[in-house]
Amino acid sequence: MRPELTKDLPINEFTDFYWLKTELQQFCRENNMSPSGFKMELSKRIEVFLTTGETQQSKTPSKRRSSSKTQAPLTLDTVIGKNHRCSQEIRAFFKEAIHPTFHFSTYIQNCFKENVGKTYRDAVKAWYEEEERKKQPFYQKEIAPQFEYNRFIRDFFNDPKNKGKGRDDAIAAWKHLKLQPGSNQYRS
């Protein structure tokens, strides 16, 4: 059975179990640590605390909200900057340049992060290339490591042994697994 998340929890028990982000944030608040950041960052912060007693603050800089409007008009030659932000204005530009159904998928967000200095024209080309890959029979969208639940559900339905099973079966299997020590990856 999963233990309670307290400051006296042994580190191996912490790392053996699945924790919700809200649980990690609450633990950080109760122990005078920053509750901000990504789930993986919170976990690492708590691991350090449980191991050394040291409290760490967030390394993620606070996002200063600047005007949502860009200075220059957006074009296909607009250069992707280091701190590119996927704003409503940029979404509207890509909806017009690509298709009204355009949305900021994880793939396209990573494209912006990994292609600083390239142009929106390159991003449009990457979007079309990804759309072509999606048509391949064995295409699977990448699910980032922090989305353990989503990965588990996908892998549950990919297992031929679960053919004919439904969403409730997958969720029940997830709920059972996350209470067990060890990996949260789907196992047949």
Side-chain angles (χ1 to χ4, degrees):
M1 200 67 178
R2 191 176 84 140
E4 187 177 339
L5 181 54
T6 67
K7 65 181 181 176
D8 299 319
L9 184 68
I11 185 66
N12 63 321
E13 289 188 37
F14 173 73
T15 57
D16 265 355
F17 289 92
Y18 177 83
W19 306 97
L20 296 172
K21 183 175 180 181
T22 54
E23 294 173 304
L24 302 177
Q25 289 172 318
Q26 183 62 34
F27 180 87
C28 286
R29 283 186 195 96
E30 291 169 357
N31 292 284
N32 300 315
M33 292 182 283
S34 171
S36 66
F38 298 107
K39 184 176 178 183
M40 294 176 99
E41 182 183 356
L42 294 169
S43 292
K44 291 293 179 197
R45 195 175 304 146
I46 293 171
E47 285 179 34
V48 169
F49 177 78
L50 293 175
T51 304
T52 68
E54 178 186 331
T55 58
Q56 296 181 325
Q57 297 308 313
S58 175
K59 292 181 181 171
T60 305
S62 61
K63 294 180 181 176
R64 289 181 36 197
R65 295 278 177 188
S66 59
S67 169
S68 62
K69 299 288 181 197
T70 56
Q71 300 298 331
L74 299 175
T75 70
L76 290 173
D77 295 320
T78 298
V79 175
I80 300 169
K82 183 179 178 187
N83 296 316
H84 185 273
R85 192 169 154 240
C86 298
S87 68
Q88 292 302 319
E89 179 187 13
I90 294 170
R91 179 189 316 264
F93 171 81
F94 280 103
K95 280 185 170 199
E96 189 173 313
I98 295 174
H99 193 272
T101 59
F102 171 85
H103 64 281
F104 289 118
S105 64
T106 302
Y107 175 81
I108 203 72
Q109 289 175 1
N110 287 337
C111 178
F112 287 127
K113 288 178 193 171
E114 296 164 5
N115 290 290
V116 172
K118 291 191 176 183
T119 66
Y120 281 9
R121 184 180 319 280
D122 297 310
V124 167
K125 180 180 176 203
W127 188 86
Y128 280 115
E129 289 169 354
E130 178 67 357
E131 289 302 301
E132 285 302 311
R133 278 191 292 279
K134 286 179 182 179
K135 294 176 185 174
Q136 301 302 314
F138 297 106
Y139 173 84
Q140 274 193 344
K141 283 200 297 190
E142 182 180 339
I143 301 175
Q146 69 268 31
F147 301 112
E148 294 172 283
Y149 170 80
N150 297 23
R151 287 174 159 222
F152 179 90
I153 298 297
R154 180 198 59 201
D155 295 344
F156 178 91
F157 285 118
N158 282 343
D159 186 342
K161 291 180 183 177
N162 295 323
K163 187 173 177 123
K165 291 187 179 180
R167 185 173 179 266
D168 289 342
D169 298 311
I171 292 171
W174 166 253
K175 285 181 178 179
H176 175 75
L177 179 71
K178 75 176 187 173
L179 294 176
Q180 308 306 312
S183 169
N184 294 314
Q185 284 187 310
Y186 174 79
R187 295 182 294 268
S188 183

